[in-house]
Amino acid sequence: MEVHHGHHTPKNWKEYVIEFLMLFTAVTLGFFAENVREHYIESHRESQYMESLLADLKIDQTNLQNSIPYQEKRVEAMDSLFAFFKNQPNATQVPVSVVRHFKRASWEIISFRNTTTISQLKNSGGLRLIQNKKVADSIDVYDMRWIRIEVSNNRFVTNSRDIYLLEEKILDAFNSLDAYIKNNGYDNQDSIPKEGFVKINREHLSEYLNLLARQQTVTRQDIRSYKRALKTTENLIKLIKSEYKL
């Protein structure tokens, strides 16, 4: 019985080259398509982050705009106290208008930034998604501005506590008892008598005024920091809107 074997014609080198080129092309196109897909996804995520950051920045902008006038009013109250005691260095009582300066000199409205998006960018490695160098650099500047403000806010809390303690030692409570009894407000100035004078304890007055002078300088520094942060925030808002067409 005869067995017939099929005859296979060997491939020439051109066919091998064509097969290789086809395989190489397929792999390359697949790799290219995956890169395009990944770039699209990251670009979309970048735009989403920027849209979210833009909303946070607008809140920061409003907070800063609201805080600065309160800080400036605080400095004015301090100036008024210095002027009063310069004119009446031996005073043992003060009119209620001056008591208002005591109260107003002890506080201001401080700003806290909305960290929702910036925290996500830092913690999830999202900062690498920001391909726009101008935007990335501006975010770094914005971040540094707020780090300084956050340090200053902590200092404010410490100094304000000391000011409150001295204020309570200086202002005689007995002249304000009627106001305390009738006080149903939420502001510290609601506890001030409507008219008349309040006796003061001069023992702690010099310490108080010295601390106030230090805090006045700090408050002026804060105003400058807030204004710089506000300008940086406004510039970053404009840049993000422009670069990402938002």
Side-chain angles (χ1 to χ4, degrees), residues 166 169-170 202-212:
L166 286 173
K169 292 178 180 179
I170 292 170
R202 295 185 54 85
E203 179 183 355
H204 302 283
L205 183 58
S206 179
E207 181 183 358
Y208 172 81
L209 293 175
N210 283 331
L211 176 58
L212 214 60

Side-chain angles (χ1 to χ4, degrees), residues 23-38:
L23 180 61
F24 177 79
T25 302
V27 172
T28 301
L29 288 175
F31 179 75
F32 177 75
E34 183 62 25
N35 277 351
V36 170
R37 176 177 173 275
E38 185 176 338

Side-chain angles (χ1 to χ4, degrees), residues 171-219:
L171 296 177
D172 190 304
F174 290 96
N175 296 119
S176 303
L177 289 179
D178 286 338
Y180 293 170
I181 292 170
K182 296 176 183 178
N183 179 19
N184 60 357
Y186 298 95
D187 192 288
N188 66 354
Q189 296 202 29
D190 293 328
S191 63
I192 301 173
K194 300 301 181 184
E195 57 185 16
F197 292 81
V198 173
K199 293 180 181 178
I200 60 173
N201 180 356
R202 295 185 54 85
E203 179 183 355
H204 302 283
L205 183 58
S206 179
E207 181 183 358
Y208 172 81
L209 293 175
N210 283 331
L211 176 58
L212 214 60
R214 173 155 54 89
Q215 187 61 16
Q216 187 186 55
T217 300
V218 170
T219 306

